[in-house]
Amino acid sequence: RDRLRAAIASPSMGATAPPVMTERGLRETTIRQPDTGECPCGTCAFDRLAAVASALTNAPRLRKVMFLIASDMPDESLRCVQEFRESRARLHRQLDLANLTVHVFDPLGLETVAVDAGALPQTLASARRSFGIDRRARLADLPKHTGGRLLVDRNQPEELVQAALDESRLYYLIGVEPMAPSD
């Protein structure tokens, strides 16, 4: 609880390094963690989410909903294909065991895939569009797997929180009586 409060109170909440203001304006800082060797394939996010789902696995039959606020998720790199797929499969398996619905909210707000007037050469603009589309696809993985919602390109995503909660209020349970004990 103390670590969470300290993170929320920090000026760079969620960034690995605080933003730097210079005489020429705000200098960009990276949000992605450097490759320190602790998470060489970038799958730590999957492992952390799987740990949360694991903690909810034995919770009584209550509505289990996770609101994940994220602007990106790990992507499959050529050097770590096997590790990535195994980590994602473990996460999916743990989400299934916990019966957890994941709704992902993208905090970037309204974003366009069109080339803007400030774009540099066309090749860079194409790469930026591709990154936005790929990023959205990575964000869609967990909601697609769990039946949750993906909220992107919204400047006021809080308007959809109640709808997501209402949707998870009801669920159906289907039971099948086997014809024989071995079925």
Side-chain angles (χ1 to χ4, degrees), residues 97-172:
L97 288 171
N99 194 25
L100 182 62
T101 302
V102 180
H103 301 285
V104 176
F105 284 56
D106 179 6
L108 295 181
L110 187 60
E111 186 179 41
T112 180
V113 294
V115 179
D116 59 2
L120 294 175
Q122 184 62 29
T123 56
L124 178 59
S126 297
R128 288 175 55 202
R129 277 197 314 272
S130 174
F131 173 75
I133 293 167
D134 292 347
R135 183 183 66 77
R136 289 180 182 119
R138 288 189 296 272
L139 289 173
D141 178 59
L142 295 179
K144 182 179 176 183
H145 182 80
T146 64
R149 293 176 180 234
L150 172 63
L151 302 161
V152 294
D153 292 331
R154 299 289 300 228
N155 286 337
Q156 296 174 319
E158 68 276 4
E159 295 172 351
L160 300 174
V161 171
Q162 190 59 49
L165 288 172
D166 289 343
E167 186 176 279
S168 66
R169 214 171 256 151
L170 300 172
Y171 62 92
Y172 298 93

Side-chain angles (χ1 to χ4, degrees), residues 64-133:
K64 297 179 200 174
V65 178
M66 176 190 294
F67 287 94
L68 177 62
I69 301 171
S71 59
D72 205 351
M73 291 297 286
D75 61 338
E76 191 172 319
S77 70
L78 292 176
R79 67 183 176 102
C80 295
V81 172
Q82 188 65 26
E83 293 88 344
F84 174 87
R85 290 180 180 168
E86 288 172 1
S87 181
R88 186 175 60 189
R90 280 192 304 272
L91 171 58
H92 285 181
R93 192 169 37 257
Q94 201 59 55
L95 290 169
D96 293 343
L97 288 171
N99 194 25
L100 182 62
T101 302
V102 180
H103 301 285
V104 176
F105 284 56
D106 179 6
L108 295 181
L110 187 60
E111 186 179 41
T112 180
V113 294
V115 179
D116 59 2
L120 294 175
Q122 184 62 29
T123 56
L124 178 59
S126 297
R128 288 175 55 202
R129 277 197 314 272
S130 174
F131 173 75
I133 293 167

